[in-house]
Amino acid sequence: MVLSRSWAIFLTGVGVWTWVIWPRFALAIWNDPRSWTSGKVGDWPATGFLWVHALLIGASLAIGTTVGLLGVRAWRAARRRTP
């Protein structure tokens, strides 16, 4: 498959965007009282609210990283194609 330079930039941007947004969301979930059984931040055990969001964040970061790396590879391939 050959991607245009525009698509390569878009995919790379999606990867970067993922790493800008999801860690901030992770901090918000960590600091949310619903994440902890006692309602006090960091007081274990954690609730299902935290675990479900942690899984969502982990999967999103993995997918975003993959998409971003594909964009970088496509960008490099596009640079090699044009003299």
Side-chain angles (χ1 to χ4, degrees):
M1 171 184 262
V2 178
L3 293 174
S4 69
R5 210 173 264 191
S6 299
W7 279 109
I9 292 169
F10 174 75
L11 292 177
T12 304
V14 168
V16 170
W17 176 255
T18 298
W19 278 95
V20 168
I21 294 302
W22 287 106
R24 291 179 49 99
F25 184 65
L27 283 173
I29 294 300
W30 182 268
N31 291 324
D32 192 319
R34 294 175 291 177
S35 295
W36 310 101
T37 304
S38 69
K40 184 178 174 191
V41 175
D43 191 15
W44 291 89
T47 63
F49 179 82
L50 179 92
W51 293 115
V52 167
H53 284 86
L55 182 62
L56 171 70
I57 292 164
S60 295
L61 286 172
I63 293 167
T65 300
T66 302
V67 168
L69 290 174
L70 288 172
V72 169
R73 288 185 65 189
W75 173 258
R76 287 182 178 168
R79 279 191 4 204
R80 283 193 300 264
R81 283 194 308 269
T82 55

Coordinates of all heavy atoms in Angstrom, one line a residue:
M1 N 0.8 -1.2 0.0 CA 0.0 0.0 0.0 C 0.9 1.2 0.0 O 1.9 1.3 0.7 CB -0.9 0.0 1.2 CG -1.7 1.3 1.4 SD -2.6 1.3 2.9 CE -4.2 0.9 2.2
V2 N 0.5 2.2 -0.8 CA 1.3 3.4 -0.9 C 0.4 4.6 -0.4 O -0.8 4.7 -0.8 CB 1.7 3.7 -2.3 CG1 2.4 5.1 -2.4 CG2 2.5 2.6 -2.9
L3 N 0.9 5.3 0.6 CA 0.1 6.4 1.2 C 0.7 7.7 0.7 O 2.0 7.8 0.5 CB 0.2 6.4 2.7 CG -0.5 5.2 3.4 CD1 -0.2 5.3 4.9 CD2 -2.0 5.3 3.1
S4 N -0.1 8.7 0.5 CA 0.4 10.0 0.1 C 1.0 10.7 1.3 O 0.9 10.3 2.4 CB -0.8 10.9 -0.4 OG -1.6 11.2 0.6
R5 N 1.8 11.7 1.0 CA 2.5 12.5 2.0 C 1.4 13.1 3.0 O 1.7 13.1 4.2 CB 3.3 13.6 1.4 CG 4.5 13.9 2.2 CD 5.3 14.9 1.4 NE 6.4 14.1 0.8 CZ 7.4 14.6 0.2 NH1 7.5 15.9 0.1 NH2 8.3 13.9 -0.4
S6 N 0.3 13.5 2.4 CA -0.7 14.1 3.3 C -1.3 13.1 4.3 O -1.5 13.4 5.5 CB -1.9 14.6 2.4 OG -1.4 15.6 1.5
W7 N -1.5 11.9 3.8 CA -2.0 10.9 4.8 C -1.0 10.5 5.8 O -1.3 10.2 6.9 CB -2.5 9.6 4.0 CG -3.9 9.8 3.5 CD1 -4.2 9.9 2.2 CD2 -5.1 9.9 4.2 NE1 -5.6 10.1 2.1 CE2 -6.1 10.1 3.3 CE3 -5.4 9.8 5.6 CZ2 -7.5 10.2 3.7 CZ3 -6.7 9.9 6.0 CH2 -7.7 10.1 5.0
A8 N 0.3 10.5 5.4 CA 1.4 10.2 6.3 C 1.4 11.2 7.4 O 1.6 10.9 8.6 CB 2.7 10.1 5.5
I9 N 1.3 12.5 7.0 CA 1.3 13.6 8.0 C 0.1 13.4 8.9 O 0.2 13.6 10.2 CB 1.3 14.9 7.3 CG1 2.7 15.1 6.6 CG2 1.1 16.1 8.3 CD1 2.7 16.3 5.7
F10 N -1.1 13.1 8.4 CA -2.3 13.0 9.2 C -2.1 11.8 10.2 O -2.4 12.0 11.4 CB -3.5 12.7 8.3 CG -4.7 12.4 9.0 CD1 -5.4 13.4 9.6 CD2 -5.2 11.1 9.1 CE1 -6.6 13.1 10.4 CE2 -6.3 10.8 9.8 CZ -7.1 11.8 10.4
L11 N -1.6 10.7 9.8 CA -1.4 9.6 10.7 C -0.4 9.9 11.8 O -0.6 9.5 12.9 CB -1.0 8.3 9.9 CG -2.1 7.7 8.9 CD1 -1.5 6.6 8.2 CD2 -3.3 7.3 9.7
T12 N 0.6 10.5 11.4 CA 1.6 10.9 12.4 C 1.0 11.9 13.4 O 1.2 11.8 14.6 CB 2.9 11.6 11.7 OG1 3.4 10.7 10.8 CG2 3.9 11.9 12.7
G13 N 0.2 12.8 12.9 CA -0.5 13.8 13.8 C -1.4 13.1 14.7 O -1.5 13.5 15.9
V14 N -2.1 12.1 14.3 CA -3.0 11.3 15.1 C -2.2 10.6 16.3 O -2.6 10.6 17.4 CB -3.8 10.2 14.3 CG1 -4.5 9.3 15.2 CG2 -4.8 10.9 13.4
G15 N -1.1 10.1 15.9 CA -0.2 9.5 16.9 C 0.3 10.5 18.0 O 0.2 10.2 19.2
V16 N 0.6 11.7 17.5 CA 1.1 12.7 18.5 C -0.1 13.2 19.3 O 0.0 13.3 20.6 CB 1.7 13.9 17.7 CG1 1.9 15.1 18.6 CG2 3.0 13.5 17.0
W17 N -1.2 13.4 18.7 CA -2.4 13.9 19.4 C -2.8 12.9 20.5 O -3.2 13.3 21.6 CB -3.6 14.0 18.4 CG -4.9 14.3 19.0 CD1 -6.0 13.5 19.2 CD2 -5.3 15.6 19.5 NE1 -7.0 14.2 19.8 CE2 -6.6 15.5 20.0 CE3 -4.7 16.8 19.6 CZ2 -7.3 16.5 20.6 CZ3 -5.4 17.9 20.2 CH2 -6.7 17.7 20.6
T18 N -2.7 11.6 20.2 CA -3.0 10.5 21.2 C -2.1 10.7 22.4 O -2.6 10.6 23.6 CB -2.8 9.1 20.6 OG1 -3.6 9.0 19.5 CG2 -3.0 8.0 21.6
W19 N -0.8 11.0 22.2 CA 0.1 11.1 23.4 C -0.1 12.5 24.1 O 0.4 12.6 25.2 CB 1.5 10.9 22.9 CG 1.8 9.4 22.9 CD1 1.7 8.6 21.8 CD2 2.1 8.6 24.0 NE1 1.9 7.3 22.2 CE2 2.2 7.3 23.6 CE3 2.3 8.8 25.4 CZ2 2.5 6.2 24.4 CZ3 2.6 7.8 26.2 CH2 2.7 6.5 25.7
V20 N -0.7 13.4 23.5 CA -1.0 14.7 24.1 C -2.3 14.6 25.0 O -2.3 15.1 26.1 CB -1.2 15.8 23.1 CG1 -1.8 17.1 23.7 CG2 0.1 16.1 22.4
I21 N -3.3 13.9 24.5 CA -4.6 13.9 25.1 C -4.7 12.8 26.2 O -5.2 13.1 27.3 CB -5.7 13.6 24.1 CG1 -5.8 14.9 23.2 CG2 -7.0 13.3 24.7 CD1 -6.1 16.2 23.9
W22 N -4.4 11.5 25.9 CA -4.6 10.5 26.8 C -3.9 10.5 28.2 O -4.5 10.2 29.2 CB -4.5 9.1 26.2 CG -5.6 8.8 25.2 CD1 -5.5 8.9 23.9 CD2 -6.9 8.5 25.5 NE1 -6.8 8.6 23.3 CE2 -7.6 8.4 24.3 CE3 -7.6 8.3 26.7 CZ2 -9.0 8.1 24.3 CZ3 -9.0 8.0 26.7 CH2 -9.6 7.9 25.5
P23 N -2.6 10.9 28.2 CA -2.0 11.0 29.6 C -2.7 12.1 30.5 O -2.8 11.9 31.7 CB -0.6 11.4 29.3 CG -0.3 10.9 27.9 CD -1.6 11.0 27.2
R24 N -3.2 13.2 29.9 CA -4.0 14.2 30.7 C -5.3 13.5 31.2 O -5.7 13.8 32.3 CB -4.3 15.4 29.8 CG -3.0 16.2 29.5 CD -3.4 17.4 28.6 NE -4.5 18.1 29.1 CZ -4.4 19.2 29.8 NH1 -3.3 19.7 30.1 NH2 -5.5 19.8 30.3
F25 N -5.9 12.7 30.3 CA -7.1 12.1 30.8 C -6.8 11.1 31.9 O -7.6 10.9 32.9 CB -7.8 11.3 29.6 CG -9.1 10.7 29.9 CD1 -10.2 11.4 30.2 CD2 -9.2 9.3 29.8 CE1 -11.4 10.8 30.5 CE2 -10.4 8.7 30.0 CZ -11.5 9.4 30.4
A26 N -5.7 10.4 31.8 CA -5.3 9.4 32.8 C -5.1 10.2 34.2 O -5.5 9.6 35.2 CB -4.0 8.7 32.5
L27 N -4.5 11.3 34.2 CA -4.4 12.1 35.4 C -5.7 12.5 36.0 O -6.0 12.5 37.2 CB -3.5 13.3 35.2 CG -2.0 13.1 35.1 CD1 -1.4 14.4 34.7 CD2 -1.5 12.6 36.4
A28 N -6.7 12.9 35.1 CA -8.0 13.2 35.6 C -8.7 12.1 36.2 O -9.4 12.2 37.2 CB -8.8 13.8 34.4
I29 N -8.6 10.9 35.6 CA -9.2 9.7 36.2 C -8.5 9.3 37.5 O -9.2 8.9 38.4 CB -9.1 8.5 35.2 CG1 -9.9 8.8 33.9 CG2 -9.5 7.2 35.8 CD1 -11.4 9.0 34.1
W30 N -7.2 9.4 37.6 CA -6.5 9.1 38.8 C -7.0 10.0 40.0 O -7.2 9.5 41.1 CB -5.0 9.3 38.6 CG -4.2 8.9 39.8 CD1 -3.8 9.8 40.8 CD2 -3.7 7.6 40.2 NE1 -3.1 9.1 41.8 CE2 -3.0 7.8 41.4 CE3 -3.8 6.4 39.6 CZ2 -2.4 6.7 42.0 CZ3 -3.2 5.3 40.3 CH2 -2.5 5.5 41.5
N31 N -7.2 11.3 39.7 CA -7.6 12.2 40.7 C -9.1 12.3 41.0 O -9.6 13.0 41.8 CB -7.1 13.6 40.3 CG -5.6 13.7 40.4 OD1 -5.0 13.1 41.3 ND2 -5.0 14.5 39.5
D32 N -9.9 11.5 40.3 CA -11.3 11.4 40.4 C -11.6 10.5 41.7 O -11.2 9.4 41.8 CB -12.0 10.8 39.2 CG -13.5 11.0 39.2 OD1 -14.1 10.8 40.2 OD2 -14.0 11.3 38.1
P33 N -12.4 11.0 42.6 CA -12.8 10.2 43.8 C -13.5 8.9 43.5 O -13.4 8.0 44.2 CB -13.7 11.1 44.6 CG -13.6 12.5 44.0 CD -13.0 12.3 42.7
R34 N -14.2 8.9 42.3 CA -14.8 7.6 41.9 C -13.9 6.5 41.6 O -14.3 5.3 41.6 CB -15.7 7.9 40.7 CG -16.9 8.8 41.0 CD -17.7 9.1 39.8 NE -16.8 9.9 38.8 CZ -17.2 10.3 37.6 NH1 -18.4 10.0 37.2 NH2 -16.4 11.1 36.9
S35 N -12.6 6.8 41.5 CA -11.6 5.8 41.2 C -11.2 5.0 42.4 O -10.5 4.0 42.3 CB -10.4 6.4 40.5 OG -10.7 7.0 39.3
W36 N -11.5 5.5 43.6 CA -11.0 4.9 44.8 C -12.2 4.5 45.7 O -13.1 5.2 45.9 CB -10.1 5.9 45.5 CG -9.1 6.4 44.6 CD1 -9.1 7.5 43.9 CD2 -7.9 5.6 44.1 NE1 -8.0 7.6 43.1 CE2 -7.3 6.4 43.2 CE3 -7.4 4.4 44.4 CZ2 -6.1 6.1 42.5 CZ3 -6.3 4.0 43.7 CH2 -5.6 4.8 42.8
T37 N -12.1 3.4 46.3 CA -13.2 2.8 47.2 C -13.5 3.8 48.3 O -14.7 4.0 48.6 CB -12.7 1.5 47.8 OG1 -12.4 0.6 46.7 CG2 -13.9 0.8 48.6
S38 N -12.5 4.4 48.9 CA -12.8 5.3 50.0 C -13.1 6.7 49.6 O -13.6 7.6 50.4 CB -11.6 5.4 51.0 OG -10.5 6.0 50.3
G39 N -12.9 7.0 48.3 CA -13.1 8.3 47.8 C -11.9 9.2 47.9 O -11.9 10.4 47.5
K40 N -10.9 8.7 48.6 CA -9.6 9.5 48.8 C -8.6 9.1 47.7 O -8.3 7.9 47.6 CB -9.1 9.3 50.2 CG -7.9 10.1 50.5 CD -7.4 9.8 51.9 CE -6.1 10.5 52.2 NZ -5.5 10.1 53.4
V41 N -8.1 10.0 47.0 CA -7.2 9.7 45.9 C -6.0 8.9 46.4 O -5.3 9.3 47.3 CB -6.7 11.0 45.2 CG1 -5.7 10.8 44.1 CG2 -7.9 11.8 44.6
G42 N -5.7 7.8 45.7 CA -4.5 7.0 46.0 C -4.8 6.0 47.1 O -3.9 5.2 47.4
D43 N -6.0 6.0 47.7 CA -6.3 5.1 48.8 C -6.8 3.8 48.2 O -8.0 3.6 47.8 CB -7.3 5.7 49.7 CG -7.4 4.9 51.0 OD1 -6.6 4.1 51.3 OD2 -8.4 5.2 51.7
W44 N -5.9 2.8 48.1 CA -6.3 1.5 47.5 C -7.3 0.8 48.3 O -7.3 1.0 49.5 CB -5.0 0.6 47.3 CG -4.2 1.2 46.2 CD1 -3.2 2.1 46.4 CD2 -4.3 1.0 44.8 NE1 -2.6 2.5 45.2 CE2 -3.3 1.8 44.2 CE3 -5.1 0.2 44.0 CZ2 -3.1 1.8 42.8 CZ3 -4.8 0.2 42.6 CH2 -3.8 1.0 42.1
P45 N -8.1 -0.1 47.8 CA -8.2 -0.6 46.5 C -8.9 0.4 45.5 O -9.7 1.2 45.9 CB -8.9 -1.9 46.6 CG -9.8 -1.7 47.7 CD -9.1 -0.8 48.7
A46 N -8.5 0.2 44.2 CA -9.2 1.0 43.2 C -10.5 0.4 42.8 O -10.7 -0.8 43.0 CB -8.2 1.1 42.0
T47 N -11.4 1.2 42.2 CA -12.7 0.7 41.8 C -12.6 0.3 40.4 O -11.6 0.5 39.6 CB -13.7 1.8 42.0 OG1 -13.4 2.9 41.1 CG2 -13.9 2.3 43.4
G48 N -13.7 -0.3 39.9 CA -13.8 -0.7 38.5 C -13.7 0.5 37.6 O -13.3 0.4 36.4
F49 N -14.2 1.7 38.1 CA -14.1 2.9 37.3 C -12.7 3.2 36.8 O -12.4 3.5 35.7 CB -14.6 4.1 38.2 CG -14.6 5.4 37.5 CD1 -15.6 5.8 36.7 CD2 -13.6 6.3 37.8 CE1 -15.6 7.1 36.1 CE2 -13.6 7.6 37.2 CZ -14.6 7.9 36.3
L50 N -11.7 3.0 37.8 CA -10.3 3.3 37.4 C -9.8 2.2 36.5 O -9.1 2.5 35.5 CB -9.4 3.3 38.7 CG -8.0 3.5 38.4 CD1 -7.6 5.0 38.4 CD2 -7.1 2.8 39.3
W51 N -10.1 0.9 36.7 CA -9.6 -0.2 35.9 C -10.1 -0.1 34.5 O -9.4 -0.3 33.5 CB -9.8 -1.5 36.6 CG -9.1 -1.7 37.9 CD1 -9.6 -1.8 39.1 CD2 -7.7 -1.7 38.0 NE1 -8.6 -1.9 40.0 CE2 -7.4 -1.8 39.4 CE3 -6.6 -1.6 37.1 CZ2 -6.1 -1.9 39.9 CZ3 -5.3 -1.7 37.6 CH2 -5.1 -1.8 39.0
V52 N -11.4 0.2 34.3 CA -11.9 0.2 33.0 C -11.3 1.4 32.2 O -10.9 1.2 31.1 CB -13.5 0.4 33.1 CG1 -14.1 0.8 31.7 CG2 -14.1 -0.9 33.6
H53 N -11.1 2.5 32.9 CA -10.5 3.7 32.2 C -9.0 3.4 31.9 O -8.5 3.9 30.9 CB -10.8 5.0 33.0 CG -12.1 5.5 32.8 ND1 -13.2 5.1 33.6 CD2 -12.7 6.4 31.9 CE1 -14.3 5.7 33.2 NE2 -14.0 6.5 32.2
A54 N -8.4 2.7 32.8 CA -7.0 2.4 32.6 C -6.8 1.5 31.4 O -5.9 1.7 30.5 CB -6.4 1.7 33.8
L55 N -7.7 0.6 31.2 CA -7.7 -0.3 30.0 C -8.0 0.5 28.8 O -7.3 0.3 27.8 CB -8.7 -1.4 30.2 CG -8.8 -2.5 29.1 CD1 -7.5 -3.2 28.9 CD2 -10.0 -3.4 29.4
L56 N -9.0 1.4 28.8 CA -9.3 2.2 27.7 C -8.1 3.1 27.3 O -7.7 3.2 26.1 CB -10.5 3.1 28.0 CG -10.8 4.2 27.1 CD1 -11.4 3.6 25.8 CD2 -11.8 5.2 27.7
I57 N -7.4 3.7 28.3 CA -6.3 4.6 28.0 C -5.1 3.8 27.4 O -4.5 4.2 26.5 CB -5.9 5.3 29.3 CG1 -7.0 6.3 29.7 CG2 -4.5 6.0 29.2 CD1 -6.9 6.8 31.1
G58 N -4.9 2.6 28.0 CA -3.8 1.7 27.5 C -4.0 1.3 26.1 O -3.1 1.4 25.2
A59 N -5.2 0.9 25.8 CA -5.5 0.5 24.4 C -5.4 1.6 23.4 O -4.9 1.5 22.3 CB -6.9 -0.1 24.4
S60 N -5.9 2.8 23.8 CA -5.9 4.0 23.0 C -4.4 4.4 22.7 O -4.1 4.8 21.6 CB -6.7 5.1 23.6 OG -8.0 4.8 23.7
L61 N -3.6 4.3 23.7 CA -2.2 4.7 23.5 C -1.5 3.7 22.6 O -0.7 4.1 21.8 CB -1.5 4.8 24.9 CG -1.8 6.0 25.7 CD1 -1.2 5.9 27.1 CD2 -1.3 7.3 25.0
A62 N -1.8 2.4 22.8 CA -1.2 1.4 21.9 C -1.6 1.6 20.4 O -0.8 1.6 19.5 CB -1.6 0.0 22.4
I63 N -2.9 1.8 20.2 CA -3.4 2.0 18.9 C -2.9 3.3 18.3 O -2.4 3.4 17.1 CB -5.0 2.0 18.9 CG1 -5.5 0.6 19.2 CG2 -5.5 2.5 17.5 CD1 -7.0 0.6 19.5
G64 N -2.9 4.4 19.1 CA -2.3 5.7 18.6 C -0.9 5.6 18.3 O -0.4 6.2 17.3
T65 N -0.1 4.9 19.1 CA 1.3 4.7 18.8 C 1.5 4.0 17.5 O 2.3 4.3 16.6 CB 2.0 4.0 19.9 OG1 1.8 4.7 21.1 CG2 3.5 3.7 19.7
T66 N 0.7 2.9 17.3 CA 0.8 2.1 16.0 C 0.5 3.0 14.8 O 1.2 3.0 13.8 CB -0.1 0.9 16.1 OG1 0.2 0.1 17.2 CG2 0.0 0.1 14.8
V67 N -0.6 3.7 14.9 CA -1.0 4.6 13.8 C 0.1 5.7 13.5 O 0.4 5.9 12.4 CB -2.4 5.3 14.1 CG1 -2.7 6.4 13.1 CG2 -3.5 4.2 14.1
G68 N 0.6 6.3 14.6 CA 1.7 7.3 14.4 C 2.9 6.7 13.8 O 3.5 7.3 12.9
L69 N 3.3 5.5 14.2 CA 4.5 4.8 13.6 C 4.3 4.5 12.1 O 5.2 4.6 11.3 CB 4.9 3.6 14.4 CG 5.5 3.9 15.8 CD1 5.7 2.5 16.5 CD2 6.8 4.6 15.7
L70 N 3.1 4.1 11.8 CA 2.7 3.8 10.4 C 2.8 5.1 9.6 O 3.3 5.1 8.5 CB 1.3 3.3 10.3 CG 1.2 1.8 10.7 CD1 -0.3 1.4 10.7 CD2 2.0 0.9 9.8
G71 N 2.4 6.2 10.2 CA 2.5 7.5 9.5 C 4.0 7.9 9.3 O 4.3 8.4 8.2
V72 N 4.8 7.7 10.3 CA 6.2 8.0 10.1 C 6.9 7.1 9.0 O 7.6 7.6 8.2 CB 7.0 7.8 11.5 CG1 8.5 7.9 11.3 CG2 6.5 8.9 12.5
R73 N 6.5 5.9 9.0 CA 7.1 5.0 8.0 C 6.6 5.4 6.6 O 7.3 5.4 5.6 CB 6.6 3.5 8.3 CG 7.4 2.9 9.4 CD 7.1 1.5 9.6 NE 7.6 0.7 8.5 CZ 7.3 -0.5 8.2 NH1 6.5 -1.2 9.1 NH2 7.8 -1.1 7.2
A74 N 5.3 5.8 6.5 CA 4.8 6.2 5.2 C 5.5 7.5 4.8 O 5.8 7.7 3.6 CB 3.3 6.4 5.3
W75 N 5.7 8.4 5.7 CA 6.4 9.7 5.4 C 7.8 9.4 4.8 O 8.3 10.0 3.8 CB 6.5 10.6 6.6 CG 7.3 11.8 6.4 CD1 8.6 12.0 6.8 CD2 6.9 13.0 5.7 NE1 9.0 13.2 6.5 CE2 8.0 13.9 5.8 CE3 5.8 13.4 5.1 CZ2 8.0 15.1 5.2 CZ3 5.8 14.6 4.5 CH2 6.9 15.5 4.5
R76 N 8.5 8.5 5.5 CA 9.9 8.1 5.1 C 9.9 7.5 3.7 O 10.7 7.8 2.8 CB 10.6 7.2 6.1 CG 11.0 7.9 7.3 CD 11.7 6.9 8.2 NE 12.1 7.6 9.5 CZ 12.5 7.0 10.5 NH1 12.6 5.7 10.5 NH2 12.9 7.7 11.6
A77 N 8.9 6.6 3.4 CA 8.8 6.0 2.1 C 8.4 7.0 1.1 O 8.9 6.9 -0.1 CB 7.7 4.9 2.2
A78 N 7.6 8.0 1.4 CA 7.2 9.0 0.4 C 8.4 9.9 0.1 O 8.6 10.3 -1.1 CB 6.1 9.9 1.0
R79 N 9.3 10.1 1.0 CA 10.5 10.9 0.8 C 11.5 10.2 -0.1 O 12.1 10.8 -1.0 CB 11.2 11.2 2.1 CG 10.6 12.4 2.8 CD 11.4 12.9 4.0 NE 12.7 12.2 4.2 CZ 13.3 12.2 5.3 NH1 12.8 12.7 6.4 NH2 14.5 11.6 5.4
R80 N 11.5 8.8 0.0 CA 12.4 8.0 -0.8 C 11.9 8.0 -2.3 O 12.7 7.9 -3.2 CB 12.6 6.6 -0.3 CG 13.5 6.6 0.9 CD 13.8 5.1 1.3 NE 12.7 4.3 1.6 CZ 12.2 4.1 2.8 NH1 12.8 4.6 3.8 NH2 11.2 3.4 3.0
R81 N 10.6 8.0 -2.4 CA 10.0 7.9 -3.8 C 10.2 9.2 -4.6 O 10.3 9.1 -5.8 CB 8.5 7.7 -3.7 CG 8.1 6.3 -3.4 CD 6.6 6.0 -3.6 NE 5.8 7.0 -3.0 CZ 5.2 6.9 -1.8 NH1 5.5 5.8 -1.0 NH2 4.4 7.8 -1.3
T82 N 10.2 10.3 -4.0 CA 10.4 11.6 -4.7 C 11.9 12.0 -4.8 O 12.5 12.1 -3.7 CB 9.6 12.7 -4.1 OG1 9.9 12.8 -2.7 CG2 8.1 12.5 -4.2
P83 N 12.4 12.2 -6.0 CA 13.8 12.5 -6.1 C 14.1 14.0 -5.6 O 13.4 14.9 -5.6 CB 14.1 12.4 -7.6 CG 12.8 12.4 -8.3 CD 11.8 12.1 -7.2

